[in-house]
Amino acid sequence: MKMEGPLEGAIVERSFAVDRPTLIRRLRAVLPAQGLLAEEEDMRPYDCDGLTAYRQLPLLVALPENESQVQAILRICHQLRVPVVPRGAATGLSGGATPHADGVLVSLAKLKRIITVDPLSRTAVVQPGVRNLAVSEAAAPYGLYYAPDPSSQIACTIGGNVAENSGGVHCLKYGLTVHNVLCVRGLTIEGEVVEFGNAALDAPGYDLLALLNGSEGLLAMITEVTVRLTPKPELAQVVIASFDDIRKAGDAVASIIAAGIIPAGLEMMDQKAIHAVEPYVNAGYDMSAQAILLCESDGTPEEVAEEIARMTEVLADSGAAGIRVSQNEAERLKFWAGRKAAFPAVGRVTPDYLCMDGTIPRKRLAEMLTAIAELSLKYGLRCANVFHAGDGNLHPLIMYDANQPGEFDRAAAFGAEILQLSVRFGGTITGEHGVGLEKIDVMAEQFTQAEIAAFHRIKAAFDEHGLLNPGKGVPTLARCREYTLARGHAAAGTVRSSPGG
Amino acid sequence: MDTLIEAWAGRIVDAARSGCPLAIRGGGSKTFYGGPEEGEPFAVGAYSGIVAYEPTELVVTARAGTPLVELAAVLAEKGQWLAFEPPYYAPSATVGGMLACALSGPRRQAVGAVRDFVLGVKVLNGLGDVLSFGGQVMKNVAGYDVSRLMAGSLGTLGIVLEVSLKVLPLPVSEKSVRFALDEATALTKLNQWGGRPLPISASAWHDGVLTLRLTGAAAAVAAAQRALAGEALADADGEVFWHSLREQTHVFFAGDAPLWRLSLPSVAPAQALGSTLIEWGGAQRWLRNGDSRVIRAAAAKAGGHATLFRGDAALKASAGVFQPLSAPLARIHRNLKQAFDPQGVFNPGRMYPGL
Ligand SMILES: Cc1cc2nc3c(=O)[nH]c(=O)nc-3n(C[C@H](O)[C@H](O)[C@H](O)COP(=O)(O)OP(=O)(O)OC[C@H]3O[C@@H](n4cnc5c(N)ncnc54)[C@H](O)[C@@H]3O)c2cc1C
């Protein structure tokens, strides 16, 4: 069936004819003296996010200091039909905050005030540029914390977290960003203030709050977030199990869940990752292991003792070669430090890496890891695996050297194969890092043309002219068709396995 | 495509062409909820059955017509359940209706709502296209989160065909305890306890009595029971009590007087709007009767909203079922409706007039 009218604009990739001098003049009038960067050397630091393989200078960089300045920027850009790209801390790994050549990159970094921390209601209201960890630090005196803990939490912002629906090692038990945010205050591209959600547990009408989470800056500019704070458990302990075979480790993950245990965290690292991390962090990992699992329990001392005993039993039954339990908080943090530093650690042993983010059913972990090992040989590129095993969320880190001709292309092809496999295994191309620019073509692997068209219509419901972060998240239909043709499918999405069959 | 779905798609296209909308009905257990049914009755209960269930993946996929009773039985066999305790209100309640109304039971504050457990959906939109969003895995950020958007959309965006839900292990141990407390003190206590790592899985205050349910490992429940020092309920009495709240068979809900649901920040003070029953640690408050304008204004002032949960057609028409939306939100709602159902085929007016 054909689509309706309003989409036409949004499905054609386009450039924007922008009158730069006029734009500069109008933006200068609403921003503080240092609030607009227009010189190449000043804008250079903003030319990429965590996906450093993609670089682009923006037309301009705006550094607003409060919501009304953001509003003024949006009004001007909307009026002049100029693209706007929101940027938090630029730790994103899919190119969501990569600038647009014809657009204004709006950094929310200066909106970094923690407005309130209320221990009674267990909520915090923060500006979008507040760092994830800063929220937990502010809540700590009350015995509370903000549960979603991406490994980038020292740097990444709450605005970015909402835009990506970020996860962390504790999300298996405590949920993703979407489960821990009560209200998002934002601005439409027209500059109107909107509140998605509220301080209660639900809001009237459609669940737009759910839609905003993971919307990659395509639906609204986030200017304030109300997050839910969680009481700190009395005790947390982590078990490290080492395995001499990566498949055993993969199966152990499924066995833990099958035993009715929901660990507070369940993470895995393969030997390449361990070997990158251990010399860097000295976390005490078993260097001879093919894989290690980190399995955490939290709660009352009685609960933790009971659960750790059950976890240990399952891990031993799954063939763990060695099992250690953290004996105090310092040791627990040390065990986790290695996991949290895994990406930078791998970054030390390779000039460049690509981080994949496919999610698959847990029972296929062992199969997937075997396939990745084969692909690594096929492409002649090393690959370390660090991931949220409990959620089935993989992070293969494909190592390459951008200065070697052809290596990036090989790495990208390697990554694409992993994502195709993720879809074929009944999973998704991205569990938490978002589609951004990086996975935009592979979207056709997971969605049909009709589904992609539905996404464009949702986008148009918020942003008629397609000005917010254009070119990200959802491929144009033309692009889908090209991808599908190139991949030789009869129709996109046909490889998607249905849960039934 | 399944022949049944094909027939439905044809029906949708016809409805779009003829301008005669469809009133979608699953098990009919929640027809009372929301605006009036308008259009030709369209029964979708026939599309039923569990498509896939993987206990070790903590995921079940069921067709929307699957009765909740049936789903619960299948899950229970493997020691699992839908942790948000969806209300049935009638044995005919279906998975699709559960998603469309997005009502959650007493455990909502502790574990989350329907939307927090939805992993994927398959829907028929107003163009007759079958669309799948999300999936069967725990984390998925490819594309907009349409699965969760469907939760609570009251069938206005499409016919839900299939839903994938996260399931959890059944609770190991549960105890209920009671305290004699006035409303204000109960609210304060609930919020203070909420800030401590206590295994409180449900709470209810009514008529000077606060009841708590503790859920978790046996040792943790016992420890919390000692720390809180309430009067313990017999296990069977506790079960009956929480069930009566979930199903609204508790005496508070009896009779034909309008039932208002206030969704407020848990710390909102006692509202003094008449006889009340408080759940979800203070975040859900039920009222019988009252002036709709006064109730709506009070809810808004407290930072929440009020729903006319049960009421006759006349009251629904004059008061509106749901709290009115701000102008920009109303516009986004209209645009989204247009995006999924451009000809207005599905459940017109069930959520807001004109939507
Ligand atoms: C070492 C490392 C470890 C990581 N570990 C994890 C992990 O464990 N889990 C995980 O989920 N991710 C992880 N990430 C990815 C990344 O940190 C997250 O996606 C994070 O949420 C991005 O936040 P940011 O502030 O850096 O956002 P940015 O990268 O600046 O932006 C991300 C997206 O959000 C949009 N955006 C930002 N701010 C706003 C706003 N105010 N309004 C609207 N849109 C906005 C941008 O346009 C962009 O599309 C990791 C990254 C690195 C480098």
Side-chain angles (χ1 to χ4, degrees), chain A residues 358-399:
Chain A
T359 302
I360 57 170
R362 284 171 280 249
K363 63 174 175 192
R364 318 268 320 237
L365 279 176
E367 211 177 329
M368 180 59 125
L369 292 169
T370 311
I372 292 176
E374 282 161 13
L375 287 172
S376 174
L377 292 177
K378 171 175 161 187
Y379 286 99
L381 294 173
R382 291 175 300 159
C383 180
N385 284 291
V386 193
F387 55 92
H388 310 299
D391 291 314
N393 184 195
L394 301 147
H395 288 327
L397 301 170
I398 301 171
M399 298 178 241

Side-chain angles (χ1 to χ4, degrees), chain B residues 214-301:
Chain B
L214 308 168
T215 304
V221 170
Q225 205 179 343
R226 276 193 305 275
L228 293 168
E231 174 207 337
L233 263 71
D235 287 356
D237 293 347
E239 234 168 83
V240 168
F241 176 73
W242 298 111
H243 188 266
S244 76
L245 290 184
R246 191 193 82 184
E247 293 303 316
Q248 299 193 340
T249 51
H250 186 278
V251 56
F252 176 85
F253 298 99
D256 292 333
L259 175 67
W260 286 89
R261 171 182 180 268
L262 275 66
S263 173
L264 305 182
S266 63
V267 290
Q271 295 294 302
L273 293 165
S275 171
T276 182
L277 189 149
I278 301 176
E279 289 188 90
W280 299 0
Q284 176 166 264
R285 308 187 192 185
W286 301 97
L287 287 176
R288 303 305 303 261
N289 276 317
D291 182 284
S292 58
R293 264 161 311 188
V294 173
I295 292 174
R296 286 256 154 79
K301 181 159 174 264

Side-chain angles (χ1 to χ4, degrees), chain A residues 1 122 178-179 192 201-202 205-207 231 257 302-303 361-363 393 428 430 432 447 451 455 457 461, chain B residues 54 56-57 108 115-116 127 132 139-142 156-157 191 194 219-220 261 263 305 331 333 335 339:
Chain A
M1 201 163 291
R122 292 141 278 141
V178 67
H179 300 110
E192 263 177 314
L201 290 179
D202 46 52
Y206 297 138
D207 196 336
I257 305 292
E302 300 88 349
E303 262 178 307
R362 284 171 280 249
K363 63 174 175 192
N393 184 195
T428 174
T430 174
E432 59 178 16
F447 297 101
E451 288 154 0
F455 289 145
R457 286 195 292 268
Chain B
E54 302 263 4
T56 63
E57 298 294 326
R108 194 272 174 250
R115 54 95 89 170
D116 296 310
L127 307 174
S132 291
K139 297 164 84 174
N140 191 343
V141 293
T156 58
L157 297 178
N191 281 292
R261 171 182 180 268
S263 173
H305 62 104
R331 193 188 66 228
H333 274 66
N335 291 349

Side-chain angles (χ1 to χ4, degrees), chain A residues 73-74 77 82-86 103-106 189 217 221 467-470:
Chain A
I73 295 169
L74 289 173
C77 290
V82 180
V84 173
V85 177
V104 179
L105 185 78
V106 179
I189 183 66
M221 185 71 93
L467 297 175
L468 272 173
N469 217 358

Side-chain angles (χ1 to χ4, degrees), chain A residues 1-2 4 120-122 144 164-165 172 176 178-179 188 190 192-196 198-211 215-216 218-219 231-234 254 257-258 260 262 300 302-303 306 359-363 388 391 393 426-435 443 446-447 450-451 454-455 457-459 461-462 474 496 499-500, chain B residues 13 51-52 54 56-58 61 108-109 115-116 125 127 129-134 136-146 148-149 151-153 156-157 162 166 168-169 188 190-192 194-197 217-220 223 226 261 263-267 280 283 303-305 322-323 325 328-329 331-333 335-337 339-340 342-343 351-352 355:
Chain A
M1 201 163 291
K2 276 248 132 329
E4 303 296 295
L120 195 60
S121 65
R122 292 141 278 141
L144 302 169
E164 302 287 13
N165 188 15
L172 178 58
L176 307 162
V178 67
H179 300 110
T188 63
E190 291 89 356
E192 263 177 314
V193 175
V194 221
E195 295 210 348
F196 305 101
N198 54 34
L201 290 179
D202 46 52
Y206 297 138
D207 196 336
L208 300 182
L209 182 59
L211 209 50
S215 63
E216 302 192 15
L218 271 82
L219 301 184
K232 271 214 193 96
E234 279 178 59
I257 305 292
I262 308 288
T300 64
E302 300 88 349
E303 262 178 307
E306 196 181 308
T359 302
I360 57 170
R362 284 171 280 249
K363 63 174 175 192
H388 310 299
D391 291 314
N393 184 195
T428 174
I429 57 170
T430 174
E432 59 178 16
H433 293 166
V435 174
M443 281 287 278
Q446 194 171 333
F447 297 101
E451 288 154 0
F455 289 145
R457 286 195 292 268
I458 292 171
K459 163 77 170 162
F462 285 79
V474 186
R496 183 171 60 198
Chain B
V13 173
V51 181
E54 302 263 4
T56 63
E57 298 294 326
L58 303 176
T61 301
R108 194 272 174 250
Q109 205 207 2
R115 54 95 89 170
D116 296 310
N125 69 3
L127 307 174
D129 293 330
V130 177
L131 308 174
S132 291
F133 300 101
Q136 288 78 44
V137 288
M138 293 296 138
K139 297 164 84 174
N140 191 343
V141 293
Y144 303 115
D145 198 344
V146 177
R148 292 185 213 281
L149 176 67
S153 62
T156 58
L157 297 178
E162 250 177 54
K166 178 178 177 179
L168 285 179
T188 307
L190 282 169
N191 281 292
Q192 286 169 345
R196 288 166 49 188
R226 276 193 305 275
R261 171 182 180 268
S263 173
L264 305 182
S266 63
V267 290
W280 299 0
H305 62 104
F322 300 102
Q323 191 102 4
L325 300 169
L329 279 181
R331 193 188 66 228
I332 294 170
H333 274 66
N335 291 349
L336 276 176
K337 170 73 175 175
F340 282 87
Q343 304 301 324
M351 182 182 272
Y352 288 103
L355 196 69

